Amino acid sequence: MVMRAMDRKVIRDLWHLRGQVLAIGTVVAAGIAALIMSLSTLEALDETTAAYYERYRFGDVFAWVKRAPGSVEQRIAAIPGVRTAQVRVSRFAIVDIEGFAEPVMGQFVSVPAGRQPVLNQLALRSGRLPGDDGDNEVVLNEPFAEAHNLVSGDQIVAVINGHRRELRIVGTALSPEFVYALGPGALMPDDRRFGILWMDHETLAAAYDLKGAFNSVSLDLERGANTGQVLQQLDRVLERYGGIGATAREDQLSNWFVMNEMEQLRTISMILPTIFVVISAFLTNMVLGRLVATERGQIGLMKAFGYSSTEVGLHYAKFVIGIV
C-alpha cells in the first residue's frame, strides 16, 4: 500500500509536469537515437570496408622504386611472410580533357591485358578491362569519369613520357587502393583535376621504357606475418634500385584517409550522445530541484506519516526514471 500511494504520486507529478517531462524525454531520445545511428553506421562501414578489401584483394605492403628488373620479383616473393607479390608500372602524366581548360593530372597504373591483377583488383562499374589488342585502351576510376561526363568509347589525350597519345576509354572502375584518390601534393580529393587510369601493362611499360622492369610492387602477407620485418627486408632488396621506402597498409594514403574518417565517426559517436545526456541531466536536475523545493511541505507530511528517507528518495528517483 505504501509503494502504491507513492507510485500514484509519481504518475500525478509526471502528468502535471508533462510539458517539461516531454521536452527532457525528447532530448534523451535524441541522444539515444544519435548513439544507435552512429554505432550502427560505424559497424556497417567496418564490415563493408573489410569485405571490400578482402574481395578485391587489397595489398598489405606497397613499395616504389625508380626502376627494378623483373627478375627481382622472385627475390621479393621469397621474403619470409610474403604470400603474393605483384609488380607493375605506375607513373603520373598530364591528361587533356576536352572542354576543361585547367590542367589535369592522371596516375597511370598497369594491369594485365584482359584480366584482373592478382592484387588491388578493379571493381568494374562499366565496360571491360584493357585487352591484348588495344594499345591505347584505358579504364578510368568512376568518380573522375563522372566529374567529366566520360563514358566508354570516349577519347582523351595524355602526355605520356613526353609524347602526346590519344587514349580510348573502355570502362570505368573502382579500386580499394584508390577509395581516396589524391594527386601529388593535394590535401583533399579533387575528381576534376586528378584521376586514376588503368592501362595494359606491356603498353604502359613500353611507353615509359620499363619493358621487363617495374617501379611499383604490392605484397599480400601470410596470416601472422611480421609486417615490420617484411618492410625492412623489402627495403633492403629494393635499395639498390632506387627504392623510396615500403609502407604498410595502415600507412597507404587512401586507406589512411578511410581509417581516419572512421575514427572521427567513432569519436563523434561518443561525443554527440554525451552532449545530449549532459543537457538532459541538467534539465532533469533543474526540474527535480524545483519539484523538491515546492514539495517541501509534502515531504514533511510523508516523513510524519512514517515514510523513511530511503522511500522518499526512491520516490523522486522513480520520477527521473519515468522521464528517461
Side-chain angles (χ1 to χ4, degrees):
M1 290 294 293
V2 171
M3 295 309 297
R4 283 184 188 173
M6 298 289 276
D7 291 342
R8 285 198 297 269
K9 183 178 180 303
V10 169
I11 296 173
R12 285 199 302 269
D13 289 341
L14 289 171
W15 176 253
H16 291 153
L17 298 172
R18 55 186 177 276
Q20 299 173 55
V21 168
L22 182 60
I24 298 171
T26 302
V27 175
V28 175
I32 294 173
L35 178 63
I36 294 174
M37 179 185 66
S38 299
L39 294 181
S40 299
T41 302
L42 185 62
E43 182 179 359
L45 286 174
D46 274 330
E47 293 177 355
T48 302
T49 302
Y52 183 43
Y53 283 179
E54 181 180 1
R55 179 175 181 180
Y56 293 100
R57 303 202 63 185
F58 186 35
D60 295 312
V61 172
F62 301 84
W64 292 264
V65 297
K66 186 174 181 179
R67 179 190 177 98
S71 58
V72 177
E73 182 179 4
Q74 296 180 358
R75 293 174 56 191
I76 295 173
I79 295 176
V82 174
R83 178 164 50 191
T84 306
Q86 176 182 274
V87 298
R88 62 186 181 179
V89 175
S90 179
R91 285 289 181 89
F92 293 99
I94 299 297
V95 179
D96 185 10
I97 305 294
E98 185 177 356
F100 190 72
E102 301 179 38
V104 176
M105 179 69 71
Q107 181 177 352
F108 282 79
V109 181
S110 68
V111 294
R115 59 186 177 87
Q116 288 277 9
V118 177
L119 301 177
N120 308 314
Q121 297 179 350
L122 309 186
L124 279 174
R125 304 290 288 173
S126 67
R128 59 175 176 82
L129 294 170
D132 293 310
D133 55 349
D135 289 346
N136 296 315
E137 295 180 346
V138 293
V139 172
L140 303 184
N141 68 319
E142 189 178 46
F144 179 70
E146 290 178 346
H148 293 283
N149 297 316
L150 296 171
V151 297
S152 298
D154 290 346
Q155 289 192 340
I156 58 176
V157 176
V159 180
I160 299 178
N161 200 20
H163 300 282
R164 188 176 176 86
R165 195 161 185 166
E166 291 187 358
L167 306 174
R168 186 165 63 90
I169 301 169
V170 295
T172 60
L174 298 173
S175 169
E177 187 179 5
F178 300 106
V179 176
Y180 273 82
L182 277 80
L187 298 177
M188 293 296 294
D190 187 348
D191 295 325
R192 290 177 62 82
R193 295 171 180 81
F194 179 75
I196 310 299
L197 302 90
W198 291 276
M199 196 173 189
D200 165 44
H201 177 79
E202 296 300 326
T203 302
L204 190 60
Y208 282 103
D209 299 322
L210 287 171
K211 294 203 71 171
F214 65 91
N215 71 340
S216 174
V217 59
S218 301
L219 305 181
D220 179 35
L221 304 185
E222 297 175 351
R223 187 180 299 275
N226 189 316
T227 304
Q229 292 182 2
V230 173
L231 292 175
Q232 292 177 4
Q233 295 187 54
L234 181 59
D235 284 338
R236 283 198 292 269
V237 171
L238 298 179
E239 183 178 7
R240 61 180 296 186
Y241 304 107
I244 59 175
T247 59
R249 176 191 287 188
E250 56 263 27
D251 297 320
Q252 196 264 351
L253 192 58
S254 172
N255 180 69
W256 184 88
F257 266 87
V258 172
M259 294 299 109
N260 191 54
E261 291 284 350
M262 294 178 67
E263 188 60 34
Q264 290 181 19
L265 179 59
R266 187 174 287 107
T267 301
I268 292 174
S269 69
M270 295 294 105
I271 293 177
L272 194 59
T274 301
I275 293 174
F276 280 101
V277 170
V278 169
I279 293 174
S280 61
F282 170 76
L283 295 175
T284 303
N285 179 69
M286 183 173 62
V287 171
L288 188 61
R290 288 181 179 178
L291 182 63
V292 171
T294 58
E295 292 187 349
R296 287 188 179 275
Q298 297 182 34
I299 294 173
L301 287 173
M302 286 188 285
K303 297 284 284 184
F305 276 99
Y307 296 109
S308 66
S309 298
T310 301
E311 291 171 338
V312 174
L314 183 59
H315 162 70
Y316 288 104
K318 286 184 177 180
F319 176 82
V320 176
I321 294 172
I323 295 176
V324 175

